[in-house]
Amino acid sequence: VANYAGVATGNDANNSIIVRGNSPLGVLWRLEGVDIPNPNHFSTQGATGGPVSILNNNILGASDFLTGAFPSEYGNKYAAVFDLKIRNGNNEKREYMGQIGFNGLEFGAEGPLFGKSGSSFLVSYRYSTLELFSALGISFGVAAIPHYQDLCFKLNMPTAKAGVFSVWGISGYSNISLLDSEKDTADWSFTGAGEDLVFTSAMGATGLSHVYFFNENLSGKFSLSASGSKFKIDI
């Protein structure tokens, strides 16, 4: 979205979105029609960005990015709205995927949920690549290794007369230890103030929705959701 007019990013260490010079705090994140906490690893209190995104492009469907003149449903955010949807899984056959990249070691699965009812499931899990390499004894020349993992899922259950039910969820956990007490003098480091710092962040959101079609021109949607975030710094 940084390619859009009036949109910029802060720096390479953070994917915060700056729209028309406004604070990144003015960006609203939405998933499946409900507001969610900041979906980024290693985020801080009140931030809307972070070094690594919890969102996974393999499970995302349609998205809307609005930079002004928002519809009333988005509340009173003043910078931008990122309204995202999780795609439905394959309701005809099972599919599996696995890949490894800079963002992590990832596994995914999708397929029919109840035979040929048209229902489906979709799940994706990702684990920090650097943490995996560190566990294998590979040295990166720095003691501070970012640890993170995230999970996303969606169950989609259409019915013949009662409408469409869906259950979804997203969560992420991350931590990093910047320990001067254990630092090798030859290693490059983020810190040099004689401090041991441990930073932890986590977020989660889940929801249940029901879409009912009264006729060809009128439908209604009910959503029940819960979300939360946690930040902890030990020095």
Side-chain angles (χ1 to χ4, degrees):
V1 298
N3 292 320
Y4 285 96
V7 181
T9 55
N11 55 61
D12 291 340
N14 193 302
N15 57 17
S16 293
I17 302 170
I18 302 169
V19 180
R20 301 186 307 276
N22 286 302
S23 167
L25 298 181
V27 175
L28 171 65
W29 288 98
R30 289 191 115 201
L31 187 64
E32 291 294 301
V34 300
D35 298 0
I36 63 170
N38 178 16
N40 288 278
H41 289 299
F42 305 105
S43 62
T44 55
Q45 181 69 44
T48 57
V52 181
S53 176
I54 295 173
L55 297 169
N56 189 328
N57 65 320
N58 288 320
I59 55 91
L60 290 176
S63 66
D64 292 316
F65 181 66
L66 310 175
T67 59
F70 315 130
S72 58
E73 64 176 299
Y74 295 121
N76 59 357
K77 287 292 185 177
Y78 54 85
V81 174
F82 222 142
D83 193 357
L84 302 156
K85 301 289 190 301
I86 303 174
R87 68 178 179 87
N88 296 330
N90 190 329
N91 61 8
E92 296 181 352
K93 66 176 183 178
R94 291 283 179 92
E95 293 184 307
Y96 305 93
M97 66 86 66
Q99 65 179 16
I100 186 170
F102 179 78
N103 278 346
L105 176 66
E106 181 182 343
F107 301 96
E110 60 183 290
L113 193 58
F114 303 116
K116 297 183 179 181
S117 64
S119 60
S120 65
F121 76 92
L122 171 68
V123 61
S124 175
Y125 172 76
R126 186 170 54 180
Y127 187 84
S128 168
T129 303
L130 296 180
E131 183 176 1
L132 176 64
F133 286 171
S134 178
L136 295 175
I138 301 175
S139 174
F140 296 94
V142 58
I145 301 298
H147 307 272
Y148 59 86
Q149 53 187 317
D150 48 64
L151 173 72
C152 183
F153 72 90
K154 182 178 182 181
L155 309 178
N156 186 64
M157 297 164 284
T159 64
K161 297 182 178 180
V164 180
F165 295 87
S166 63
V167 181
W168 59 272
I170 183 174
S171 65
Y173 173 84
S174 58
N175 73 82
I176 188 168
S177 299
L178 309 174
L179 307 178
D180 280 352
S181 64
E182 300 180 8
K183 182 179 64 175
D184 189 312
T185 56
D187 286 349
W188 177 82
S189 175
F190 293 96
T191 63
E195 295 179 344
D196 283 355
L197 185 149
V198 180
F199 177 77
T200 302
S201 69
M203 69 79 64
T206 186
L208 166 68
S209 67
H210 175 219
V211 178
Y212 183 77
F213 300 92
F214 297 95
N215 54 49
E216 293 181 355
N217 302 313
L218 181 64
S219 65
K221 182 177 182 179
F222 170 80
S223 294
L224 179 66
S225 66
S227 62
S229 58
K230 175 184 179 181
F231 309 95
K232 182 181 180 182
I233 301 176
D234 293 321
I235 298 178

